[in-house]
Amino acid sequence: MLVPRHIIAQKYGHRATVKQIARYLTGPGNVIKPRSQLAFAFDIDGVLIRGKNPLPAAREALSILDGNNKFGLKIPFILLTNGGGVSEEERCRKLSSQLDAQIHPDQFIQAHTVLKSVVHNYADVPVLVLGGKGDTLRRVAEGYGFQKVYTTLDILAWNPSIWPFHDLTQEERASARPTDFSRTQFGAIFVFHDPRNWALDIQIMCDVIQGIIGGSHESNHTRKPVDLVFCNPDLIWQSDFEAPRMGQGAFRVAFQAVFESLTGSTYPYVQFGKPTEATYKFAEMMLKHRLQGAPKPSLYMVGDNPESDIAGANAAGWKSILVHTGVYDPRRGPPNHQPTHQAEDVAEAVRWALEQELCS
C-alpha cells in the first residue's frame, strides 16, 4: 500500500524515517488489516446445531469470524455437511434463522451439492433419486439440471404389487409422476439423502439394477449397467436424541447385504460426501474462491465425527479440529483419526485456530 507523502509529512515532516512510517501505519486508527489467509469449513450437526437448536457456542464462533476478534479480521468460512434432503437455498434460509447469521448458498455444501459437477453426464438420462420427503428431491435434482428424474414412489404408483406393504398416501399419490416403467431404462440411481422407507427403496434398487424394472426387453449381456451413487457415507449421525442415529451409510450396508444375498456379490458404487476426496476437493475450490487467491491458504475443518470430518480433512492436507459436542465422546477413548487439535466446542476451536495462525 502506498501512503501519500503529505499525510506522513503532516505528522513527521518531510524526512520521516522508516520506523516513523511503520509507527504511523500500525498506530491507532491507522491499522492496515491484512487479508485473511485462514478459512474454515464447519460441519453442522453436532458442531453448530443439535437437532433443531443451535449449540450455545455456535453464535459466538460465527461472531468471531465476522470480525469480532482482537485482530479485527473477517475470516471466510463454509458449512460442509453430509446432511441434505432439501435445496441449498431452503437450508440456508433455515440456518440463517437458527444461527442468527446470514448464510449464503455459495458458502454451503451439503451431501448432494457435489452432484452439480456430474449432472452433464446424466442430463437427458432417466435417473432414480432416493431419500427425502415426497418428491422434494426430484425438484432439487431438476434444479441441478437433471431432466428425467423419478422416485421410488413413482414406480410404486405405476405398479403397487412391486411392494405391497406400503399404501401410498393421498399426498404421495398426488406427487407421483405417471410413467410406464416397463420401458424406462435408468442410467443411474442417486441416493441423495437418507431414505425414509428402506424396504421399498432396497427392493426397487435391486429390481432396477437387475433389469426386472425397465430392462425386460434387453438381455443381461446387452443391458448397460446402472450407475449407483451414494452421497453420504455416515454410518451414524448426531440428532437431538441422546445416542447417535443410523445414517445413509447404514442404508448402503443394508442394501449391499441384500443384493449380495440375491446375486452372490455386492454392487459397485461411487461414494460422495465426507470424507471422500471428491467432496473435499469441491470444498477446497469453494474456500479458495472465498479467500480471493491467498498464496498460502490455511484451511481448517471443524467437526464432531472422526470418521468423516477428521479423516477427510487429514487426507486433504487440511488442519482439523475435533469438538466434543456431537458424535465423538472422549470418554470412549481416543479417536481412530487423530485431529490437529481437540476442543470442547466450536467457539474454542475457532479461538485456538486464530491464535495458532495469527500469533505464531
Side-chain angles (χ1 to χ4, degrees), residues 164-192:
F165 306 111
H166 179 82
D167 295 323
L168 291 169
T169 66
Q170 185 175 357
E171 182 180 4
E172 289 172 337
R173 193 172 295 280
S175 69
R177 183 167 291 175
T179 306
D180 179 6
F181 289 103
S182 67
R183 307 192 67 82
T184 301
Q185 291 182 271
F186 287 98
I189 299 172
F190 292 101
V191 187
F192 267 54

Side-chain angles (χ1 to χ4, degrees), residues 39-78:
F40 288 90
F42 297 99
D43 184 29
I44 298 176
D45 296 307
V47 176
L48 298 174
I49 289 174
R50 187 159 183 170
K52 297 180 180 179
N53 302 310
L55 287 165
R59 289 173 178 164
E60 180 185 353
L62 295 180
S63 177
I64 294 171
L65 296 176
D66 195 40
N68 295 310
N69 55 70
K70 66 182 181 181
F71 308 101
L73 275 178
K74 288 196 173 187
I75 311 295
F77 71 92
I78 63 170

Side-chain angles (χ1 to χ4, degrees), residues 84-91 108 110 112 136-137 140 144 193:
V86 296
S87 70
E88 285 75 10
E89 291 76 14
E90 181 177 342
R91 188 72 197 278
F108 177 69
Q110 53 189 345
H112 43 77
T136 298
L137 284 171
V140 173
Y144 289 176
H193 190 47

Side-chain angles (χ1 to χ4, degrees), residues 202 205-206 209 228 230 249-270:
I202 289 173
M205 288 172 73
C206 291
I209 289 170
L228 176 59
F230 292 91
F251 173 78
R252 188 197 70 239
V253 171
F255 160 75
Q256 292 286 22
V258 171
F259 191 84
E260 185 174 15
S261 296
L262 291 172
T263 67
S265 63
T266 57
Y267 194 75
Y269 65 93
V270 173

Side-chain angles (χ1 to χ4, degrees), residues 130-132 152 163 166 191 193-206 230 234-237 245-258:
L130 273 63
T152 53
W163 188 251
H166 179 82
V191 187
H193 190 47
D194 298 18
R196 300 307 200 259
N197 190 331
W198 285 26
L200 169 66
D201 289 358
I202 289 173
Q203 177 69 76
I204 290 179
M205 288 172 73
C206 291
F230 292 91
D234 286 352
L235 185 71
I236 56 175
W237 64 288
R245 303 290 84 192
M246 289 188 292
Q248 192 184 128
F251 173 78
R252 188 197 70 239
V253 171
F255 160 75
Q256 292 286 22
V258 171

